[in-house]
């Protein structure tokens, strides 16, 4: 499919997600608690995508590979080792803004 | 009166806005003229908001994009200057109290316009910049510029807080 408004439904039904390193894709998947394999395309390498993917990998939240190692990763993956990455709390931001603007 | 900037990280900024009280009203969104997907996301966000808060108000404006991805330096300077020229009247018209931005190049010209208005004694806006969650160890170009010109510079990873001591780290907010 081309551009769906939201992949939320599909995400809920998935057992495993394989995705590029876009922040939106990664965060949405992790929030729903789905195991995620991030595939880096070195040719299209986008600096800011890489930083986040690497950090998520270092933290043990996602599996990480490139196009050529994807099959191998799928063969040897151990999804139980993945650690959850809980969603952030935008209310902390709201509280901060309230403080600096003077709404108490 | 608030001004928000969107672009590549619209979802992030909408999440940041999700817990704001109705005191942050009316909301003025400023988008790059080439951005199509953000408008739909914003309208959907505001529609949901209107279901809870009856007096919800927002506006949407577009300005020329200051720089395309991987645009050369020399042409970037020209396009940025053009964007600044465009954003000065917009910022003057909106006279925001608070400006919230999270990274796209669109925010730099408007923040510069706001600083100008402040210097001229017309309107002093509080500029809050939130660096995207994608930025773990390095700042975006907008971030590097606005680190010096914003009132509050928020980062989302502790590594950046260490490198940029004047920044604010609130933990995970999106």
């Amino acid at each position: 499919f081309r551009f769906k408004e939201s992949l939320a439904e599909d995400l809920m039904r998935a057992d495993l997600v394989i995705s590029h390193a876009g922040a939106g894709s990664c965060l949405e998947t992790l929030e729903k608690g789905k195991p995620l394999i991030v595939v880096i395309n070195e040719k299209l390498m986008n600096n800011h995508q890489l930083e986040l993917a690497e950090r998520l990998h270092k933290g043990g939240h996602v599996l990480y590979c490139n196009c050529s190692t994807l099959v191998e990763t799928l063969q040897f993956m151990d999804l139980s080792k993945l650690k959850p990455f809980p969603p952030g709390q935008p209310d902390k931001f709201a509280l901060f803004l309230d403080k600096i603007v003077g709404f108490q | 009166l608030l001004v928000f900037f969107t672009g590549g990280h619209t979802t992030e900024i909408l999440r940041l806005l999700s817990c704001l009280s109705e005191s942050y009203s009316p909301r003025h969104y400023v988008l790059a003229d080439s951005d199509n997907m953000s408008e739909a996301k914003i309208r959907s966000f505001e529609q949901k908001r209107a279901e809870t808060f009856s007096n919800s108000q927002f506006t949407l404006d577009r300005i020329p994009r200051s720089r395309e991805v991987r645009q050369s330096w020399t042409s970037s300077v020209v396009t940025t200057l053009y964007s600044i020229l465009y954003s000065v009247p917009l910022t003057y018209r909106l006279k925001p109290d608070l400006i919230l931005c999270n990274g796209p190049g669109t925010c730099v010209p408007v923040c510069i316009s706001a600083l100008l208005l402040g210097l001229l004694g017309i309107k002093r806006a509080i500029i809050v910049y939130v660096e995207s969650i994608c930025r773990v160890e390095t700042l975006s170009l907008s971030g590097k510029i606005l680190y010096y010109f914003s009132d509050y510079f928020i980062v989302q990873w502790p590594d950046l807080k260490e490198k940029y001591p004047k920044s604010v780290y609130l933990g995970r907010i999106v």
Side-chain angles (χ1 to χ4, degrees):
Chain A
F1 42 61
R2 299 242 83 208
F3 291 102
K4 242 186 183 182
E5 275 245 346
S6 160
L7 287 171
E9 275 179 30
D10 299 277
L11 263 183
M12 285 316 289
R13 287 182 290 167
D15 296 303
L16 170 66
V17 177
I18 301 175
S19 162
H20 75 148
S25 315
C26 293
L27 293 177
E28 252 193 271
T29 309
L30 289 171
E31 272 175 8
K32 298 209 158 40
K34 300 292 177 178
L36 172 63
I37 300 180
V38 175
V39 185
I40 307 285
N41 183 343
E42 286 119 354
K43 297 195 201 105
L44 269 183
M45 200 116 85
N46 225 328
N47 212 346
H48 60 268
Q49 282 194 0
L50 194 55
E51 275 186 37
L52 180 63
E54 274 186 359
R55 172 50 58 97
L56 290 175
H57 176 247
K58 259 198 221 144
H61 307 289
V62 303
L63 288 176
Y64 182 79
C65 66
N66 56 39
C67 302
S68 41
T69 55
L70 178 58
V71 176
E72 194 185 308
T73 308
L74 284 169
Q75 283 175 322
F76 296 110
M77 65 189 184
D78 181 358
L79 297 177
S80 59
K81 291 229 171 75
L82 290 179
K83 296 193 213 138
F85 189 69
Q89 295 156 285
D91 49 302
K92 286 197 216 161
F93 176 68
L95 277 170
F96 175 76
L97 270 192
D98 284 345
K99 223 182 350 165
I100 61 172
V101 171
F103 299 146
Q104 286 293 356
Chain B
L1 284 172
L2 311 170
V3 184
F4 300 105
F5 300 88
T6 61
H9 301 288
T10 307
T11 311
E12 266 199 70
I13 203 157
L14 290 179
R15 283 188 190 196
L16 287 172
L17 298 183
S18 61
C19 291
L20 292 186
S21 72
E22 207 41 30
S23 316
Y24 294 90
S25 207
R27 289 170 292 282
H28 302 284
Y29 295 90
V30 179
L31 283 81
D33 51 9
S34 46
D35 189 346
N36 293 315
M37 294 187 71
S38 296
E39 179 163 352
K41 289 186 191 163
I42 294 169
R43 290 194 184 278
S44 152
F45 171 81
E46 284 291 336
Q47 201 175 22
K48 277 209 199 87
R49 218 188 148 88
E51 287 165 17
T52 324
F53 303 104
S54 55
N55 230 2
S56 217
Q57 287 178 334
F58 78 100
T59 67
L60 228 119
D61 279 289
R62 287 182 179 272
I63 58 173
R65 205 169 165 156
S66 26
R67 181 174 173 260
E68 297 292 335
V69 181
R70 287 193 242 285
Q71 190 179 335
S72 75
W73 272 107
T74 32
S75 66
S76 294
V77 174
V78 178
T79 51
T80 305
L81 282 173
Y82 178 62
S83 298
I84 295 177
L85 247 97
Y86 206 95
S87 32
V88 172
L90 171 68
T91 316
Y92 179 75
R93 173 168 57 87
L94 293 175
K95 293 203 187 61
D97 301 293
L98 171 68
I99 296 180
L100 208 58
C101 40
N102 81 327
T106 13
C107 62
V108 177
V110 181
C111 289
I112 293 179
S113 308
L115 285 166
L116 208 64
L117 291 181
L119 284 171
L120 295 172
I122 299 174
K123 179 78 187 194
R124 175 81 172 83
I126 302 175
I127 300 177
V128 177
Y129 181 90
V130 183
E131 186 63 284
S132 165
I133 193 167
C134 297
R135 293 297 179 168
V136 182
E137 291 176 14
T138 62
L139 291 187
S140 60
L141 181 57
S142 309
K144 288 187 189 144
I145 299 170
L146 289 172
Y147 178 65
Y148 299 102
F149 297 113
S150 56
D151 294 293
Y152 297 94
F153 190 89
I154 301 176
V155 294
Q156 301 195 50
W157 294 94
D159 315 46
L160 283 177
K161 169 71 185 155
E162 273 176 54
K163 284 194 190 154
Y164 298 93
K166 282 200 298 166
S167 66
V168 175
Y169 173 63
L170 298 171
R172 288 209 41 228
I173 49 179
V174 297

